[in-house]
Amino acid sequence: MVDAILFPIPAFFLQVSLSALNPDNALWLATLGFAGCMIGTPIGYAIGRTSGYRLLRRFVKQEKLDRVESLFRKHGEMAILIGSFTPIPFKLFTVASGCTNFPLRKLMLYAAIGRAAKFYIVGLLFYAYGRSAEHMVHGKTLTFIMLAAGALLATVWLLMRVRRKRLNARPNAASKPEDLCP
């Protein structure tokens, strides 16, 4: 839970270490990590809403902060999805969402999709392959799996967005009664 708020060590490292010790508990650990993330996400969001700018200004220059805000307003959904898979601490995305007044329900939705995929991919690897999954996680295998999962989610998101734009751009033929008769 604290990974989504302020804890400096990402939950991923804790999940990998504990899953390597006892692979039979890997799915349970994935569930705990996911649930904790979902509890911590709105707390990180609230921190961003209330004091995020003061906090971020300590670490980021104003020009970069303005740029991040602009990009996050434009591509927040994609940032959250991709951020769920990167080694970048997820708390940056929750706090940034609050700072930019990104809708909380969208943050929760995209965080749920991305974080569930990340936690359960790791959990399933350890559950299926036992301790030998540790070599996959520390090697390039997990990187490729995460990139593929992130790319798949990003593609689905992009296709849904294009479809929604097409549906909104399509004129509604039955909107006026006089349009129905020649």
Side-chain angles (χ1 to χ4, degrees), residues 47-155:
I47 290 170
R49 288 287 301 250
T50 58
S51 59
Y53 274 113
R54 282 186 277 140
L55 182 68
L56 287 176
R57 270 191 265 152
R58 288 183 154 185
F59 304 106
V60 181
K61 293 180 182 179
Q62 186 63 42
E63 305 87 45
K64 288 186 180 183
L65 193 58
D66 292 340
R67 176 80 171 133
V68 167
E69 182 178 356
S70 171
L71 286 171
F72 206 85
R73 287 181 194 269
K74 195 175 202 179
H75 305 290
E77 296 96 346
M78 185 63 68
I80 293 165
L81 276 177
I82 292 173
S84 295
F85 292 97
T86 65
I88 298 169
F90 193 65
K91 67 192 97 346
L92 295 177
F93 297 95
T94 62
V95 172
S97 295
C99 286
T100 60
N101 292 322
F102 188 79
L104 178 61
R105 64 179 178 76
K106 282 187 174 183
L107 170 65
M108 295 299 291
L109 173 68
Y110 291 112
I113 293 167
R115 298 303 273 179
K118 182 174 184 174
F119 282 114
Y120 283 105
I121 286 171
V122 172
L124 285 169
L125 282 174
F126 276 99
Y127 188 75
Y129 296 105
R131 293 201 62 158
S132 62
E134 192 172 1
H135 299 292
M136 290 182 216
V137 170
H138 293 300
K140 293 183 179 182
T141 305
L142 184 65
T143 302
F144 290 124
I145 291 171
M146 291 296 177
L147 284 172
L152 177 65
L153 283 173
T155 302

